[in-house]
Every structure is written in C-alpha cells, then in structure tokens.
Amino acid sequence: MRRTAVRAAAAGGEPQEALPATAVPASPPGADGPGSGSGSASAFAAPGAATAPAPAPAPYRLQTEFPFELPRGYVDDAGTVHRDGVMRLATARDELVPLRDIRVQENPAYLSVVLLGRVITRLGSLPLVHDGVVENMFASDLAFLQDFYRQVNAEGHTRASVQCPHCSEPFEVELGGSRLGES
C-alpha cells in the first residue's frame, strides 16, 4: 500500500496522511493480525464472528482561502477604507487567462494587477473585487498583496535558509520571481 504525506495548510495544522479510498490502515505495532508474524490463534477470527471496523482516516481539508489585512487599505469612491480581505489559491487558469489580456500584452507589469483582481474574493464591504479595484490601491498595499500571493501559492513562503560558503553564517534568500506568475 502506498501512502502519501500531505503538507498541512499554511494556517498551521498537524500533517495528515491522505489514503486512497480503498486503502486499509496498517495494524498498530504489536497488534495481532494477518502477516504480523505472531502465529497466535487469535490472529484469524472465526467465520461469522463480529469484528470491529477499522477507524476511518481523518479527512484531509485543503485550505483554499486566506484572510489578510492591508497595511493602508483601499479607499472607495465614498471615502470608505477597506482593509480586511480574503484571497483564494490561484489556479492554472488564473495565471493563463491574464496573458490574453491586451493590457498585459502591452505592459507585462500589469499582469499582477489582473491576477490579483481574479484571486481576491473579498475586500471589506465591497460587493465585487476586480482589477479596477486593485489598480487603484496604494503602492504599499499592492506590494503587500503581491508578496501575500507568493506566500499563499508557494505553500507558505518563498524564502530558503542558506549558509555562507566563506563564513558559514546562516541567512535567508528570496526565491520568488520578480512579478506574479513568474518563478
């Protein structure tokens, strides 16, 4: 039987194992069962004897939405400041569709604006978040969202711990691409 370890969601949780629907969990160490090598007569139940069903594995839940708070906040036409929001995980379609956008073709830097407009599902009390909202954000909020996008879609962070080859001092390096959609 093949088991796959699944990394817990970025919000922090205990790692769990995802088992195929037909997989049966292995017997705990020291338990008598077929193939346990104990040779005891209790290893095989008599025909018709009731056996307790094996406990079902805990279901794995993938976190797909992540709350955030903008450093400054988006100010709408009425002057209301919106800071709390939710970003969902990006799909391949989210990263491919903006490449057909004429604004992105004319100016590749616009990719992050269109992409963020697709993956931000909520911002304050706004009824809809789209690229027009993102392009009117303060630069510090845009930079925050670009970094948050990288963290969410790179399973937590885009930094790696390394060690200087000369002095052996540990430090971190940024692995993320220069723009969203790039690595």
Side-chain angles (χ1 to χ4, degrees):
M1 167 175 52
R2 192 170 110 192
R3 293 184 183 195
T4 306
V6 178
R7 186 174 290 180
E14 294 297 320
Q16 300 175 1
E17 290 185 342
L19 298 176
T22 58
V24 178
S27 299
D32 289 338
S36 67
S38 66
S40 87
S42 64
F44 300 97
T51 58
Y60 174 73
R61 295 188 47 108
L62 176 66
Q63 182 178 358
T64 60
E65 292 189 329
F66 301 86
F68 63 84
E69 183 174 318
L70 295 175
R72 297 209 188 271
Y74 169 74
V75 182
D76 65 15
D77 294 334
T80 306
V81 178
H82 305 273
R83 293 184 71 194
D84 297 324
V86 175
M87 181 183 293
R88 66 173 173 78
L89 285 175
T91 63
R93 178 181 212 86
D94 290 324
E95 293 202 354
L96 293 172
V97 168
L99 298 175
R100 294 187 296 214
D101 190 305
I102 190 71
R103 298 168 295 180
V104 174
Q105 292 174 356
E106 291 176 358
N107 182 1
Y110 208 78
L111 174 63
S112 64
V113 172
V114 177
L115 185 53
L116 288 170
R118 292 180 61 89
V119 297
I120 297 172
T121 59
R122 186 182 63 76
L123 184 59
S125 60
L126 293 175
L128 179 65
V129 181
H130 50 81
D131 53 6
V133 170
V134 177
E135 70 184 355
N136 287 307
M137 289 182 174
F138 295 112
S140 59
D141 288 335
L142 180 62
F144 168 83
L145 288 169
Q146 289 170 331
D147 186 52
F148 190 67
Y149 176 92
R150 286 186 198 102
Q151 289 177 9
V152 164
N153 289 288
E155 295 190 40
H157 61 83
T158 57
R159 294 173 301 281
S161 295
V162 295
Q163 193 172 33
C164 176
H166 302 290
C167 67
S168 299
E169 187 69 26
F171 64 97
E172 289 186 338
V173 294
E174 182 69 33
L175 300 177
S178 60
R179 292 190 304 261
L180 296 182
E182 292 183 350
S183 293

